[in-house]
Amino acid sequence: MIIAVKNLWKEYGDNVVLENINLTVKEHEFVTIVGASGCGKTTFLRMLLGEETPTRGSFMLDGKPLPDEPGPDRGIVFQRYSVFPHLTVLENVMLGLEFAASPFLGKLFGTARKQAQSKAEAILNEVGLYEVRNHYASQLSGGMQQRLSIAQSVIREPRILLLDEPFGALDPGITDDMHKLILRLWDEHKMTIFMITHDIKEGFELGTRLLVFDKVRRDAQAQSAYGATITYDLPLKSVDRNVAKEVAEQTRRTEAFIQSAQLVASH
Amino acid sequence: MRRLINQLPGKGGAFGLGVLPFLLLFLVYVLASDARLAENANDKLLPALNTIADSIHTYAFEEDKRSGNILLWTDTWASLKRLGMGLGLGATLGLLFGVAVGVVPYVRAALQPFIAALSMIPPLAMLPILFVVFGLDELSKVVLIVFGVAPVIMRDLALRVGEIPREQIIKAQTLGASTWQLVLRVVLPQMWPRLIDSVRLSLGSAWLFLIAAEAIAATEGLGYRIFLVRRYMAMDIILPYVAWITLIAFAMDYLLRLLSQRLYPWMQRSE
């Protein structure tokens, strides 16, 4: 059991974001997370990162409480901005190795550098960025930047890889290739993946397990009084299309509810 | 007829338009100077071009009878030395404290209000104190420039550090970066071009403080000279000196911009 969450609540003052989350995740699962915006998906991911701590309940990694800051065992790919614009593609990928091996300068020289470089080049080959390895990251297209960000994380061989709507800003044509890439890397490196997505279809197609975050209780007078919880936890080999439709419909309804509640609150 | 906002000058046209105000100013000067000199041949306010040329020759190419120095160059060298030291020191302090304040929350909590207060003190009001504490020599002039530019650069860089996307900072931590490594490999390299920009914007005030300090207490320097010859209403010297100072400031700005473009090509593409 790599992740074990028990009776977890997250509140900001009176605002309940997540309530009563229970979840265990085994090694090498590919967990996709869907849900309306404002249903605590990102808060959950930030807790996995170590950016947020639970208000109540426990969040265990390998049986120990999750560290309260980000670390190399949990890689992340955000929707945008997670590559370093001032470094070349190759330098971006080598950075993780340099941090690990050179505490004072954060930079490798000589043979150590050569070794890190060939390791980085191998991964760049894998994600199809070898040709542009000497370009600055800021010169790459959105899709290429996401590939780079994935390569950057994978080289540190994190046990858990977190993906926060990684393909949300990309053209639909590119997304297919990205899906193939992430599935291949997931299989090769035996990572456990948590991926947040807005695209319910993508969630059903990619994962081995799908979580739906949704609000069960709604109070139009006090929108923040109840938090979201996991309403569906589906193993994804045996799911039929009707369930996908049902989930899409409920997510849409919650989204509409949150929007109208916000509208009421702002008047 | 297209709208005014859609009409673009060609390349030559833009250049010509750019030069036009300079030519106009020159023309106005020559005409006004002629008119005044025709009325009174001893008028000192708007000296004729050849008088100015003579003065330039005396100051830039002939040795001064009393000191044996070529005055323009001694003045330029003295001023540039002070300016360079002041800006260099100011930029260094600005970078160190700006990055520390931007990156470390404890340093920010401790120093941000202090730096904000510091930057509100008018540096020229500090000048008498500096003269008393550091004497009338070079040090007080350099310190005045540092005092004038460092707090601004600090605040600017602290803001720029804050503009680095949170995603980058988190990402670096998931790649195993310590605070020190994060500063060294992620924050500092992205701050160099911002520091150059910040120094460029500080050039104007740095010159202001330099000339003010030189006007009050110095024995050489561009600011010292123009305030010295003011006593004789020597506009034929003041005007070329002002033009020379402007030229130097303009060249510094241009060279810094060029440097930034050469050294940090990734900047142009990310924004």
Side-chain angles (χ1 to χ4, degrees):
Chain A
M1 218 54 68
I2 186 163
I3 289 288
V5 182
K6 222 173 152 191
N7 299 330
L8 177 128
W9 291 67
K10 180 67 191 177
E11 295 153 17
Y12 300 98
D14 287 338
N15 184 5
V16 185
V17 180
L18 291 171
E19 57 178 51
N20 203 27
I21 306 269
N22 286 288
L23 176 72
T24 54
V25 174
K26 287 197 293 290
E27 205 128 355
H28 200 216
E29 283 196 74
F30 192 137
V31 182
T32 51
I33 301 173
V34 301
S37 358
C39 276
K41 293 176 310 224
T42 302
T43 307
F44 184 74
L45 195 89
R46 284 165 66 96
M47 277 194 238
L48 268 167
L49 262 176
E51 269 194 286
E52 300 269 358
T53 47
T55 317
R56 270 178 281 161
S58 65
F59 206 133
M60 310 290 245
L61 169 67
D62 289 327
K64 279 177 279 203
L66 205 67
D68 56 2
E69 61 176 359
D73 51 347
R74 287 151 292 143
I76 176 90
V77 175
F78 290 105
Q79 188 171 12
R80 293 195 295 167
Y81 302 129
S82 54
V83 297
F84 302 106
H86 61 292
L87 298 176
T88 65
V89 169
L90 187 64
E91 288 168 336
N92 260 286
V93 179
M94 285 169 64
L95 196 62
L97 299 176
E98 294 187 298
F99 284 149
S102 168
F104 292 114
L105 294 176
K107 213 167 164 66
L108 293 173
F109 301 95
T111 348
R113 183 177 183 82
K114 288 237 172 65
Q115 278 169 2
Q117 188 172 336
S118 57
K119 209 169 162 191
E121 283 172 351
I123 289 206
L124 284 174
N125 229 333
E126 218 173 328
V127 301
L129 290 177
Y130 184 78
E131 302 300 320
V132 294
R133 65 192 180 285
N134 292 322
H135 288 49
Y136 282 108
S138 51
Q139 288 173 277
L140 301 185
S141 68
M144 285 169 130
Q145 291 197 358
Q146 290 309 81
R147 283 167 186 274
L148 177 57
S149 188
I150 292 168
Q152 213 173 13
S153 287
V154 167
I155 204 168
R156 279 303 305 252
E157 295 180 354
R159 297 190 53 211
I160 301 178
L161 182 62
L162 308 170
L163 307 171
D164 189 0
E165 297 189 30
F167 316 130
L170 304 183
D171 294 336
I174 307 172
T175 321
D176 253 9
D177 286 345
M178 300 298 280
H179 287 174
K180 282 184 200 128
L181 173 68
I182 199 72
L183 284 175
R184 202 175 68 228
L185 291 172
W186 168 66
D187 199 42
E188 270 169 35
H189 299 268
K190 302 291 173 228
M191 299 173 287
T192 308
I193 294 185
F194 288 84
M195 171 165 144
I196 291 184
T197 175
H198 242 103
D199 181 351
I200 291 177
K201 192 163 150 279
E202 181 180 72
F204 273 95
E205 280 171 6
L206 269 185
T208 59
R209 181 174 178 184
L210 177 105
L211 302 179
V212 182
F213 278 59
D214 205 350
K215 290 183 186 245
V216 201
R217 298 181 289 176
R218 298 170 188 170
D219 183 342
Q221 262 65 52
Q223 198 233 123
S224 57
Y226 299 114
T229 191
I230 297 174
T231 53
Y232 286 84
D233 180 353
L234 309 166
L236 278 182
K237 296 305 165 192
S238 56
V239 172
D240 65 73
R241 281 162 196 278
N242 286 333
V243 182
K245 243 182 175 170
E246 191 185 332
V247 168
E249 177 54 26
Q250 287 190 7
T251 305
R252 199 197 54 72
R253 235 181 288 142
T254 304
E255 205 135 68
F257 162 74
I258 288 174
Q259 273 166 10
S260 65
Q262 277 166 350
L263 216 61
V264 169
S266 67
H267 280 292
Chain B
M1 193 72 171
R2 278 187 292 173
R3 287 180 190 82
L4 197 56
I5 53 165
N6 293 326
Q7 296 178 28
L8 306 173
K11 218 169 183 187
F15 180 78
L17 284 172
V19 171
L20 195 63
F22 291 98
L23 283 179
L24 278 177
L25 181 67
F26 184 73
L27 199 71
V28 167
Y29 181 87
V30 172
L31 290 176
S33 169
D34 274 357
R36 282 187 74 102
L37 288 169
E39 214 164 279
N40 171 11
N42 290 324
D43 180 67
K44 300 198 88 176
L45 195 61
L46 300 176
L49 291 183
N50 55 350
T51 319
I52 293 181
D54 285 346
S55 303
I56 292 177
H57 192 266
T58 317
Y59 271 77
F61 301 105
E62 287 171 21
E63 287 178 6
D64 179 43
K65 284 181 206 89
R66 205 178 318 152
S67 64
N69 293 327
I70 297 176
L71 288 178
L72 181 67
W73 302 122
T74 350
D75 288 339
T76 306
W77 175 237
S79 289
L80 283 184
K81 217 161 56 184
R82 291 164 189 148
L83 194 73
M85 278 163 64
L87 274 175
L89 213 63
T92 311
L93 287 175
L95 182 73
L96 285 178
F97 283 95
V99 168
V101 166
V103 172
V104 185
Y106 268 95
V107 177
R108 187 180 319 141
L111 289 186
Q112 204 172 31
F114 183 70
I115 293 174
L118 208 64
S119 66
M120 287 303 140
I121 303 174
L124 285 178
M126 290 290 291
L127 191 55
I129 302 175
L130 298 182
F131 279 145
V132 170
V133 176
F134 297 108
L136 293 174
D137 290 341
E138 296 305 291
L139 188 58
S140 55
K141 301 178 190 71
V142 172
V143 172
L144 177 71
I145 298 175
V146 173
F147 197 85
V149 301
V152 180
I153 297 181
M154 273 175 213
R155 297 182 84 189
D156 186 38
L157 282 188
L159 283 177
R160 302 284 161 245
V161 172
E163 279 171 8
I164 295 179
R166 186 189 64 93
E167 285 88 342
Q168 272 188 40
I169 306 293
I170 302 283
K171 179 86 187 194
Q173 295 178 63
T174 67
L175 298 178
S178 64
T179 302
W180 171 245
Q181 288 174 322
L182 182 82
V183 168
L184 216 56
R185 293 297 314 273
V186 177
V187 177
L188 267 185
Q190 297 194 65
M191 284 308 115
W192 294 124
R194 269 88 182 188
L195 179 67
I196 292 181
D197 279 348
S198 201
V199 169
R200 281 178 61 198
L201 291 175
S202 307
L203 275 179
S205 46
W207 274 101
L208 168 71
F209 300 134
L210 174 76
I211 298 208
E214 286 181 343
I216 294 171
T219 52
E220 56 187 13
L222 297 167
Y224 161 73
R225 192 69 54 196
I226 49 183
F227 274 85
L228 180 75
V229 300
R230 180 193 60 95
R231 294 177 198 164
Y232 323 115
M233 268 186 71
M235 290 293 271
D236 55 328
I237 297 161
I238 296 178
L239 288 176
Y241 259 71
V242 171
W244 176 238
I245 290 171
T246 312
L247 189 71
I248 295 175
F250 186 81
M252 286 168 88
D253 184 64
Y254 178 74
L255 288 176
L256 284 172
R257 201 182 65 196
L258 211 65
L259 189 75
S260 178
Q261 283 173 355
R262 282 283 154 81
L263 291 179
Y264 312 107
W266 53 269
M267 269 294 277
Q268 271 84 51
R269 289 172 188 114
S270 61
E271 274 153 326

